[in-house]
Amino acid sequence: MFWLIPFIVAGVLFGTSATAVGAPTVFEFRTNDVIAFVGGADVAAAQHSGHVETLLAVAHPRLKLRFRNLGWEGDTVFEQPRDFAFPSLLTNLHRAGATVIVAQFGRGESLDRVAVPDFAAAYRKLLDTLAKQTPRILLVTPVPFEAGNGSLPDLSKRNPDLARIADAICLLGQERTLFVVDLFAELGGA
């Protein structure tokens, strides 16, 4: 199922499902945009495939889009710890010249069973920080957990918690008039 994610994300970014109340129906990229992906382990792992970046570049060849994956294992909406002497997330966004930020958080937080109001409050603070770099932020809900098929733990039992976090992300998008790519719903949700 995870091989489908880049195609769903790319399809959504091309205007099929990205939504925000009061926002245009298609997310508009601009010439020479630097698209920075931020989030936890899922985002960090995605840098090794380049599927989303390739699909976006092929769809918009004249725009000369550039991409930076700033995902970091352990990043959550609550904190984005860096090893000693590594620059902060905001510093990295600035150095990269990010003009669009694609933020995907929530899976790690759901495993920690954080309270949804606490998650939403922390995400608001993080969005305030990210907006210092650019107001062009796109939120991506986490993908549902899978059953594991006996060889891995059955994390699908945590999908109701993840559904509440995905709902909170959608509400934040509405509140801030940001595009939301609802992968949780697109991939079947809870």
Side-chain angles (χ1 to χ4, degrees), residues 19-33:
T19 59
V21 175
T25 56
V26 176
F27 190 88
E28 296 286 336
F29 293 104
R30 300 175 188 152
T31 301
N32 296 318
D33 263 340

Side-chain angles (χ1 to χ4, degrees), residues 96-162:
T99 58
V100 175
I101 298 172
V102 178
Q104 183 177 11
F105 291 94
R107 265 183 137 202
E109 293 89 338
S110 74
L111 289 174
D112 287 339
R113 296 195 175 186
V114 300
V116 174
D118 294 341
F119 173 83
Y123 213 160
R124 280 185 193 92
K125 280 184 171 179
L126 177 59
L127 291 173
D128 291 340
T129 299
L130 297 177
K132 291 176 184 174
Q133 177 62 34
T134 179
R136 299 174 63 215
I137 300 170
L138 189 136
L139 304 178
V140 180
T141 64
V143 298
F145 290 114
E146 295 184 68
N149 299 328
S151 59
L152 296 171
D154 182 3
L155 294 178
S156 67
K157 296 173 186 171
R158 304 300 288 278
N159 281 335
D161 293 334
L162 196 56

Side-chain angles (χ1 to χ4, degrees), residues 84-107:
F84 180 73
F86 276 76
S88 70
L89 176 58
L90 188 58
T91 299
N92 279 327
L93 287 166
H94 179 71
R95 287 180 181 172
T99 58
V100 175
I101 298 172
V102 178
Q104 183 177 11
F105 291 94
R107 265 183 137 202

Side-chain angles (χ1 to χ4, degrees), residues 30-34 56-57 60-67:
R30 300 175 188 152
T31 301
N32 296 318
D33 263 340
V34 176
L56 289 171
H60 304 286
R62 291 190 177 107
L63 295 182
K64 300 176 185 167
L65 301 175
R66 293 170 289 152
F67 306 94

Side-chain angles (χ1 to χ4, degrees), residues 172-185:
L172 281 171
Q174 289 177 0
E175 176 184 300
R176 301 232 175 176
T177 318
L178 298 173
F179 278 85
V180 178
V181 178
D182 193 353
L183 288 182
F184 190 79

